[in-house]
Amino acid sequence: ESVYECGQYAVTQMAEPSRFSGFFKKFKTSIRLVAMTPEEQRTLDLFEAIESRPDINQRQLAEELGISLGLANAFLKTVLSKGWLRARKVTTRRWLYFLTPQGTLEKSRLTLNYLQRTLKSFRELRNQADQLLADLNTRDVQGIHLIGEEDFIDIIGLCLEHHQMRCLSKIIKPREEEGRLNHWIPDQFPKLKTSERFLITLFSDQEKLLKKLTAEGYQNQKHWVCMT
């Protein structure tokens, strides 16, 4: 692949559609808020934090779960009362936490449900991507420039081999932990041929991107389509 500069960020030029190793693992992480309730997510995160660090303290646990210290304390007590964890006092201010057999079963149940719902969401999004690409096929579109969130761009990539078109470039929105969220939209977009479209896979910041495209003279359907 080759890379050209688009604004202050590099855009990857792809010669051929590619497969995405490790995609499903990334996809599961990206849709966790969709696939799990907040309580289920917090419980599974707590189990994982304690399995990796049995000596974790409540302040560290609060940071790990992204909640207040008081809420972490109350949540830990709830999980202990359900018999999913046991605690052993090591020193006056130090405790070790362990999953009980019941806790291990609950972690397995949450993980299995999570994977089942994630797979369902993945299939639904892939079907939507297939339908969109099939529609573009009927309009004699031969190449697309993908703009949006990486995991959803990857879904399009997985579908491309079944359709007669190529991914010409990708403009990827950074993840929250990577920063740069206020400056990821490039100053310039790739020039379009009549047989090309921008395909937008954004579930946030879409309005800002569409305003930018519209300001540069690009039109809905004629120049860009959205996977929404």
Side-chain angles (χ1 to χ4, degrees):
E1 358 178 283
S2 60
V3 175
Y4 71 93
E5 293 297 322
C6 187
Q8 55 185 313
Y9 299 108
V11 178
T12 305
Q13 292 281 355
M14 301 181 63
E16 297 292 340
S18 61
R19 290 188 174 273
F20 298 85
S21 60
F23 162 73
F24 188 61
K25 181 178 179 182
K26 291 193 305 174
F27 177 75
K28 289 190 303 180
T29 302
S30 72
I31 66 163
R32 171 168 286 195
L33 291 176
V34 175
M36 305 186 76
T37 67
E39 184 176 356
E40 287 174 332
Q41 178 187 336
R42 190 177 299 152
T43 301
L44 189 56
D45 285 346
L46 181 142
F47 288 155
E48 292 173 349
I50 286 175
E51 279 191 322
S52 62
R53 299 173 60 190
D55 61 343
I56 193 169
N57 61 44
Q58 291 186 22
R59 188 172 298 279
Q60 292 169 334
L61 185 61
E63 293 177 358
E64 190 79 17
L65 300 181
I67 58 179
S68 68
L69 180 60
L71 186 56
N73 178 272
F75 185 58
L76 186 58
K77 287 180 178 178
T78 298
V79 175
L80 284 165
S81 70
K82 291 182 177 181
W84 294 340
L85 294 179
R86 65 183 177 88
R88 188 177 75 196
K89 193 172 185 178
V90 179
T91 64
T92 306
R93 303 183 63 181
R94 184 165 173 256
W95 293 76
L96 293 179
Y97 299 96
F98 305 92
L99 266 68
T100 64
Q102 295 93 329
T104 300
L105 285 174
E106 178 63 13
K107 181 175 182 287
S108 297
R109 185 190 71 81
L110 288 172
T111 302
L112 180 59
N113 289 345
Y114 168 42
L115 292 175
Q116 289 173 337
R117 282 179 279 180
T118 298
L119 183 58
K120 181 180 178 182
S121 297
F122 170 77
R123 285 172 175 163
E124 290 172 349
L125 287 168
R126 180 161 182 170
N127 287 340
Q128 184 180 354
D130 270 324
Q131 292 172 9
L132 184 57
L133 291 173
D135 180 63
L136 291 175
N137 274 150
T138 64
R139 304 188 217 172
D140 297 323
V141 174
Q142 298 175 7
I144 56 174
H145 300 268
L146 292 167
I147 307 176
E149 294 159 5
E150 184 176 14
D151 295 334
F152 301 109
I153 282 178
D154 286 354
I155 293 176
I156 297 290
L158 291 172
C159 299
L160 278 174
E161 63 184 74
H162 303 296
H163 301 272
Q164 297 178 347
M165 67 181 68
R166 298 169 54 200
C167 177
L168 303 172
S169 70
K170 296 187 294 183
I171 301 175
I172 298 174
K173 177 184 177 182
R175 298 176 186 272
E176 287 187 15
E177 59 268 25
E178 296 173 355
R180 310 195 314 273
L181 288 179
N182 294 327
H183 306 288
W184 74 272
I185 298 176
D187 296 327
Q188 296 179 340
F189 294 97
K191 299 297 183 182
L192 289 184
K193 297 179 181 178
T194 55
S195 61
E196 297 174 4
R197 296 289 188 279
F198 293 118
L199 200 164
I200 299 165
T201 64
L202 273 177
F203 291 83
S204 62
D205 281 349
Q206 188 177 103
E207 183 178 356
K208 186 187 302 183
L209 174 64
L210 296 185
K211 283 183 178 180
K212 174 74 172 175
L213 287 170
T214 301
E216 295 197 9
Y218 294 110
Q219 301 174 27
N220 185 17
Q221 300 301 318
K222 183 177 180 180
H223 301 111
W224 54 264
V225 293
C226 292
M227 179 180 165
T228 55

